């Protein structure tokens, strides 16, 4: 780096700096008017003369007139030998002009050899006593040998000296150092520098800002008497100058920096300790946060799992639908935030472990039961209970739906049968045949035969009632007791009717032999009307029968059966007309014999009017049944559309999730470029996934509509909502973990000082041997990767694979390589820093910690540092050795 200082008076001095230290900058240029100012020249002369004498006195000499005493070059060469500690060429002892020029040239050549290129400054100007050139040359020497090597927190020269002054004077009132001119006029800054390092020399609390003359003279006198810093400035000149000379102030202040250089070493040690303690405090905070989040998540899982495992059945559909709605709220509102918390907890754990590895701290071991594996195990149990609970809800709803349908069907058939059987037992118990004529007895017998036919027709109905009651018992119907009681009553009554029917037949047949005449037409009417009447009643029951279907094919089967029934109506109508014609024939015969027509059938309770009414009802029920079936067909078609709509989305979303998973898997192995480029691409993947969330929500809505419509199967897709949910959660977790892995690699790279080229080389080596692209190196592949370390392979494997899995991840590989190729802070470095603060004592005192460290860091050390038990200890002494080793897990402290 080449810098130049333009003096604006016809010549230029350029300095070629071989090191990367900019100790002369543009705002240091000499001003033309200032150069001509006698006050400025006076300050320069006094300060530079005193500075030169502070070094020349070591050789037992000095100067009085700066432009005269350096003209022969002898004292100039001597000055350079004293401040550099090196020998210059032997000077010429002659008094001629060319001897003087030769000596000055030797001095200038030495300055040039130290990396400062002097342009337009010749030996002739110095020999001629040019004050401006002489002062410029001395300033160059001061910059090179007194100011250039000053370095504070990666700043050097003027900036470093200014930062040093700012840090040392920061705690003092009325001091604000921002430059090297007006901020030093009141003398408080100089007094603050002295008090910071030697508080015993100045009582800063008694100083007055309004007494700049006293403050400056006090600082000058104390520095000269106790610090061996000569008085280079006049207090009056500084106070009376609007802007004191910056170079004079810098020259004088640099003497304080070198005088207190030893104290800087202690400050550097304090900074190192503060940095290390800050890392330790941050890690402890992350550990506490992990424990808190893990406890909260585990507590939530413990609350939810028993609820999902509770499968107590309900007795009503409304109650079960309420449970289903609660489960949906859990899936939509309560679980998603916990999924994010679980993912964030794993990320925080990995980040904490990475920070601990980077800072050479022991790995973090959570409290018992709060490991990541414990949380994963508890989460797996929760999801298993969740899956079983959802399946149980759907099965239970189907069961209750079936039970309600059977219960209603049972009540309808039972009511119909009981309505039919009312009074039958009393009729069968009558002995009316004892006082009847033969015709009446025969009529009774025929009537009884018709009743037996009707009874046989009702046998199937009674069996259906008993079968429905049996199925309700098998399905654990909640009102099974009342069903059983009613069914038992019907069965007992049916047995009684059978007994009475058999007994009455025997009595009628015994009486029949006494009776000869019977009305054949009524008999024929009764025989034909009873089955037809039973057919009509069965038809009415079938037309009013409730049904439950789940597919279009089911309802189409019912419609087909209904169409077949309608096809039998013309034949049934012919039978009805034939039956009615029999009754008409009876009336004709009665009229032909002059008997009043009697429309009461002695053999049957069935009348033509009843047959007509029932036939009309059958014809009315047929279109109603047809309408109900068509409505159900429309509903099933709507359900089919819901199935197809869900399947169309699921068949897109499912492969999309799988494709994203594969892309993320490939990106963790195949992505080239810098880690920041990889992070950018993964962030783009993450944004694409987040933007796709609306499709998942829409699919959830369609799934809810399907469940509300009680659709439980879908032949159009192999994807269920559960598959989609699991895949989506895995996708979110995978992208988050992959991003965290790249962040961890960036953190490792920056903390360990690994270059991008090194990181790329690590990745290329790892990828070359990761032949199956699994992101893990088996033992043999890792051996091949580390072939140069073959003799230490067992030790290396124990470091990178402490669990004995015979697999090495890329992150573990990077950690190992960074340990092999970079340095990091150690307990020995911390111990050496504390030793500096303690002035080489084996212990440190409270006041020393509070003086050298910031309050927070000092109190942190005091609260954790054990007492020193050595024989040379003093009351309150602390053991910094045990504390330093404990920071890195090398002791049990």
């Amino acid at each position: 780096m080449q810098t130049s200082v333009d003096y604006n008076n016809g010549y230029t001095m350029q300095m070629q700096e071989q090191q990367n230290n900019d100790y002369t900058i543009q705002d240091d240029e000499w001003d033309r008017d200032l150069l001509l100012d006698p006050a400025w020249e006076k300050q320069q002369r006094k300060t530079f003369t005193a500075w030169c004498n502070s070094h020349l006195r070591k050789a037992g000499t000095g100067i009085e007139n700066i432009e005269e005493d350096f003209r022969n070059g002898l004292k100039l060469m001597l000055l350079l030998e004293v401040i550099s500690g090196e020998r210059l060429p032997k000077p010429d002892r002659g008094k001629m002009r060319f001897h003087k020029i030769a000596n000055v040239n030797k001095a200038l050549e030495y300055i040039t050899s130290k990396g400062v290129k002097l342009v337009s400054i010749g030996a002739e100007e110095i020999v001629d006593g040019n004050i401006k050139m002489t002062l410029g040359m001395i300033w160059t020497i001061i910059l090179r040998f007194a100011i250039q090597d000053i370095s504070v927190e990666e700043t050097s020269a003027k900036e470093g000296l200014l930062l040093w002054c700012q840090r040392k004077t920061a705690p003092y009132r009325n001091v604000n150092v921002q430059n090297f001119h007006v901020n030093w006029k009141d003398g408080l800054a100089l007094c603050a520098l002295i008090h910071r390092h030697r508080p015993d020399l100045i009582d800063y609390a008694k100083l007055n800002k309004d007494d700049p003359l006293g403050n400056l003279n006090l600082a000058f006198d104390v520095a000269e008497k106790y610090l061996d810093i000569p008085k280079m400035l006049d207090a009056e000149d500084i106070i009376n100058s609007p802007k004191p000379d910056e170079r004079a102030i810098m020259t004088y202040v640099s003497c304080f920096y070198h005088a207190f250089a030893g104290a800087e070493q202690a400050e550097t040690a304090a900074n190192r300790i503060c940095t290390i303690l800050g890392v330790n405090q941050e890690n402890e905070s992350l550990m506490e946060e992990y424990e808190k989040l893990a406890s909260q998540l585990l507590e939530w899982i413990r609350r939810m799992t028993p609820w999902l495992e509770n499968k107590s059945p309900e007795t009503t559909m409304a109650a079960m639908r309420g449970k289903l709605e609660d489960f949906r709220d859990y899936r939509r509102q309560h679980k998603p935030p916990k999924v994010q918390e679980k993912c964030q907890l794993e990320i925080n754990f990995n980040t904490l472990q990475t920070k601990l590895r980077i800072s050479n701290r022991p790995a973090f071991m959570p409290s018992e039961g709060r490991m990541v594996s414990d949380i994963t195990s508890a989460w797996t149990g929760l999801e298993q209970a969740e899956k079983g609970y959802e399946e149980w809800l759907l099965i239970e709803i189907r069961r209750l739906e079936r039970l309600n349908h059977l219960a209603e069907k049972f009540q309808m058939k039972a009511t119909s049968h009981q309505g039919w059987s009312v009074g039958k037992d009393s009729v069968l118990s009558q002995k009316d045949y004892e006082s009847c004529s033969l015709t009446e007895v025969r009529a009774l017998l025929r009537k009884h035969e018709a009743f037996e036919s009707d009874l046989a027709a009702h046998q199937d109905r009674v069996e259906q009632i008993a079968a429905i009651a049996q199925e309700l018992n098998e399905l654990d119907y909640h009102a099974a007791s009342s069903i059983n009681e009613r069914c038992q009553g019907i069965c007992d009554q049916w047995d009684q009717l059978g007994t009475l029917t058999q007994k009455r037949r025997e009595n009628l047949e015994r009486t029949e032999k006494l009776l000869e005449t019977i009305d054949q037409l009524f008999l024929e009417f009764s025989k034909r009307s009873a089955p037809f009447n039973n057919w009509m009643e069965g038809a009415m029951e079938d037309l009013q029968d409730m049904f439950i279907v789940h597919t279009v094919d089911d309802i189409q089967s019912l419609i087909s059966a209904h169409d077949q029934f309608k096809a039998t109506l013309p034949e049934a109508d012919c039978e009805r007309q034939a039956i009615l014609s029999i009754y008409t024939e009876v009336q004709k015969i009665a009229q032909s014999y002059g008997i009043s027509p009697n429309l009461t059938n002695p053999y049957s309770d069935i009348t033509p009017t009843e047959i007509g009414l029932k036939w009309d009802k059958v014809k009315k029920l047929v279109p109603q049944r047809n309408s109900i079936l068509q409505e159900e067909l429309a509903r099933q078609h709507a359900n089919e559309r819901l199935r197809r709509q869900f399947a169309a989305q699921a068949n897109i979303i499912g492969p999309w999730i799988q494709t994203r998973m594969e892309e993320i898997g490939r990106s963790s192995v195949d992505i080239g470029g810098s880690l920041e480029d990889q992070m950018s691409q993964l962030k783009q993947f993450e944004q694409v996934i987040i933007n796709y969330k609306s499709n998942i929500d829409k699919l959830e809505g369609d799934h809810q509509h399907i469940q509300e419509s009680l659709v439980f199967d879908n032949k159009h897709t192999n994807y269920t909502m559960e598959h989609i949910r699991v895949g989506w959660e895995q996708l979110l977790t995978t992208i988050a973990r992959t991003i965290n892995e790249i962040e961890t690699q960036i953190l490792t790279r920056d903390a360990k000082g690994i270059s991008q080229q090194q990181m790329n080389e690590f990745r290329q080596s790892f990828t070359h041997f990761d032949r199956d692209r699994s992101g893990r190196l088996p033992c043999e592949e890792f051996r091949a990767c580390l072939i140069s370390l073959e003799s230490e392979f067992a030790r290396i494997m124990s470091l990178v694979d402490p669990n004995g899995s015979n697999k090495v991840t890329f992150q573990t590989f990077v950690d190992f390589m960074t340990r092999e190729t970079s340095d990091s802070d150690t307990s020995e470095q911390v111990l050496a820093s504390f030793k500096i603060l303690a002035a080489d004592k084996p212990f440190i005192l409270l006041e020393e910690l509070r003086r050298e460290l910031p309050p927070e860091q000092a109190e942190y050390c005091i609260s954790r540092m054990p007492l020193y038990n050595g024989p040379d200890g003093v009351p309150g002494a602390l053991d910094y050795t045990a504390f330093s080793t404990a920071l890195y897990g090398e002791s049990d402290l």
Side-chain angles (χ1 to χ4, degrees), residues 252-268:
Y252 187 65
V253 172
S254 68
C255 295
F256 285 87
Y257 174 87
H258 292 293
F260 298 134
E264 292 300 309
Q265 187 180 16
E267 182 176 354
T268 301

Side-chain angles (χ1 to χ4, degrees), residues 605-824:
D605 293 333
I606 300 173
T607 65
T609 303
E610 183 179 355
I611 291 175
L613 291 174
K614 289 184 178 180
W615 178 254
D616 292 340
K617 186 172 183 180
V618 168
K619 291 195 295 182
K620 182 179 180 181
L621 289 174
V622 168
Q624 292 179 355
R625 180 72 167 186
N626 189 68
S627 176
I628 292 173
L629 290 174
Q630 292 300 323
E631 290 176 359
E632 182 61 26
L633 178 61
R635 190 176 76 86
Q636 289 302 324
H637 277 302
N639 290 346
E640 183 67 12
R641 285 192 297 274
L642 288 176
R643 290 188 184 97
R644 292 180 181 275
Q645 181 177 344
F646 177 86
Q649 294 186 71
N651 289 335
I652 294 174
I653 293 175
W656 185 91
I657 291 176
Q658 182 62 32
T659 302
R660 299 293 84 74
M661 290 287 287
E662 293 173 355
E663 288 178 353
I664 294 171
R666 290 194 300 269
S667 70
S668 65
V669 177
D670 297 337
I671 290 180
S674 66
L675 293 176
E676 285 73 12
D677 294 338
Q678 297 179 37
M679 175 64 70
S680 176
Q681 184 168 353
L682 288 173
K683 287 293 185 180
Q684 292 175 5
F685 282 169
E686 184 181 37
Q687 189 59 45
V688 170
I689 293 171
I690 293 173
N691 294 338
Y692 203 75
K693 180 64 166 58
S694 59
N695 297 314
I696 303 297
D697 295 338
K698 185 176 185 302
L699 191 64
E700 284 281 6
D702 292 343
H703 179 64
Q704 181 175 347
H705 291 157
I706 286 177
Q707 286 196 333
E708 290 173 351
S709 301
L710 299 179
V711 177
F712 303 107
D713 55 356
N714 194 337
K715 64 182 180 180
H716 303 294
T717 181
N718 293 326
Y719 292 100
T720 65
M721 196 63 227
E722 180 62 24
H723 293 154
I724 299 299
R725 292 189 191 110
V726 171
W728 180 251
E729 292 173 1
Q730 289 178 347
L731 181 59
L732 292 177
T733 302
T734 299
I735 187 64
R737 286 175 177 170
T738 305
I739 290 175
N740 177 249
E741 179 184 351
I742 299 302
E743 289 174 343
T744 302
Q745 293 177 24
I746 293 174
L747 181 62
T748 302
R749 181 199 65 189
D750 295 341
K752 296 298 184 178
I754 302 173
S755 68
Q756 183 61 50
Q757 181 179 359
Q758 287 179 303
M759 185 61 72
N760 290 338
E761 290 175 356
F762 293 165
R763 168 62 73 183
Q764 290 172 0
S765 298
F766 187 90
T767 304
H768 175 74
F769 290 97
D770 184 18
R771 296 183 175 87
D772 58 358
R773 295 298 184 263
S774 63
R776 296 175 180 272
L777 291 182
C779 179
E780 291 304 319
E781 293 180 0
F782 185 55
R783 180 192 299 273
C785 190
L786 300 179
I787 191 65
S788 63
L789 301 176
E790 180 65 33
S791 60
E792 299 183 278
F793 183 76
R795 178 187 67 81
I796 295 173
M797 201 64 192
S798 67
L799 292 176
V800 299
D801 183 26
N803 298 325
S805 65
N806 287 328
K807 296 286 185 179
V808 180
T809 66
F810 178 66
Q811 182 58 43
T812 307
F813 177 75
V814 170
D815 289 342
F816 167 74
M817 293 304 295
T818 54
R819 285 198 299 271
E820 295 296 323
T821 59
S822 62
D823 296 328
S824 60

Side-chain angles (χ1 to χ4, degrees), residues 282-296 344-345 348 352 364:
E282 180 182 1
N283 291 340
E284 290 179 357
S285 176
L286 289 175
M287 293 175 189
E288 293 173 0
E289 182 66 17
Y290 173 87
E291 293 283 347
K292 178 181 177 182
L293 291 177
S295 299
Q296 293 175 351
Q344 188 62 44
L345 190 67
N348 291 349
L352 174 59
F364 170 56

Side-chain angles (χ1 to χ4, degrees), residues 328-425:
R328 288 173 180 164
D329 290 340
Y330 157 79
R331 293 294 293 270
R332 290 193 301 261
Q333 301 176 11
H334 302 296
K335 185 182 177 184
K338 298 301 177 182
V339 172
Q340 295 296 326
E341 290 181 12
K342 175 178 175 292
C343 180
Q344 188 62 44
L345 190 67
E346 294 176 356
I347 292 174
N348 291 349
F349 182 83
N350 292 335
T351 301
L352 174 59
Q353 297 294 40
T354 299
K355 289 185 176 180
L356 291 173
R357 286 197 304 272
I358 291 171
S359 57
N360 288 335
R361 268 57 167 191
F364 170 56
M365 292 296 293
S367 303
E368 183 177 358
R370 297 178 184 173
M371 295 288 291
V372 173
S373 58
D374 298 326
I375 296 174
T376 301
S377 176
W379 189 268
T380 301
L382 175 72
E383 291 186 331
Q384 291 175 350
E386 175 184 321
K387 181 179 180 182
Y389 187 76
E390 184 177 26
E391 293 175 353
W392 173 78
L393 280 175
L394 297 178
I395 293 173
E396 193 64 17
I397 289 175
R398 287 185 180 182
R399 185 183 71 84
L400 286 177
E401 184 182 34
R402 174 68 177 167
L403 285 176
N404 291 339
H405 170 71
L406 290 174
E408 292 176 2
K409 190 172 184 178
F410 173 86
Q411 298 296 347
M412 183 192 72
K413 287 185 175 294
T415 300
S416 176
H417 173 75
Q418 288 177 335
W420 170 84
S421 61
V422 171
K424 292 292 189 295
D425 54 347

Side-chain angles (χ1 to χ4, degrees), residues 102 113 249 257 274 283 302 314 321 372 392 452 479 495 497 511 551 697 736 816 841:
S113 70
I249 299 294
Y257 174 87
C274 290
N283 291 340
R302 293 189 187 101
E314 300 290 344
R321 288 185 182 275
V372 173
W392 173 78
E452 285 180 331
D495 293 338
L497 286 177
T511 307
T551 66
D697 295 338
F816 167 74
K841 300 192 298 294

